Amino acid sequence: MYMHQVELMIRQSCGSCRRVAEQIRPICQRWGAEFVVTDVDSDTSLAMEFGDRVPVVLVDDDEIACWEIDDEDLIAALEA
């Protein structure tokens, strides 16, 4: 079985980022996906790429959501 990777791009000071992390963590666990949280401020190139556009959700390096995500959209990406 293939294990998807879900990466959440965040900023430490971002309340929405914490909320989205809490929302998607149990979905990742239920579907057996690796859940990775990356602070964009830890890397200058990431900070420039994402700017204020966080949280951003990537599944297997493909961006599927920015700012908000529906559970169904994440589940569909994990089942694809």
Side-chain angles (χ1 to χ4, degrees), residues 5 9 13 24 32 44 47-49 52-53 56 59 68 73:
Q5 181 187 66
M9 309 305 283
S13 60
I24 68 174
T44 305
M48 290 179 66
E49 178 181 351
D52 291 332
R53 231 175 32 91
V56 172
V59 174
E68 301 284 333
D73 292 342

Side-chain angles (χ1 to χ4, degrees), residues 49-63:
E49 178 181 351
F50 290 97
D52 291 332
R53 231 175 32 91
V54 291
V56 172
V57 179
L58 301 112
V59 174
D60 301 327
D61 296 322
D62 291 327
E63 183 176 327

Side-chain angles (χ1 to χ4, degrees), residues 28-65:
C28 292
Q29 290 172 342
R30 195 171 338 131
W31 266 261
E34 177 186 10
F35 182 57
V36 177
V37 177
T38 303
D39 184 342
V40 298
D41 291 327
S42 67
D43 182 305
T44 305
S45 64
L46 289 176
M48 290 179 66
E49 178 181 351
F50 290 97
D52 291 332
R53 231 175 32 91
V54 291
V56 172
V57 179
L58 301 112
V59 174
D60 301 327
D61 296 322
D62 291 327
E63 183 176 327
I64 66 164

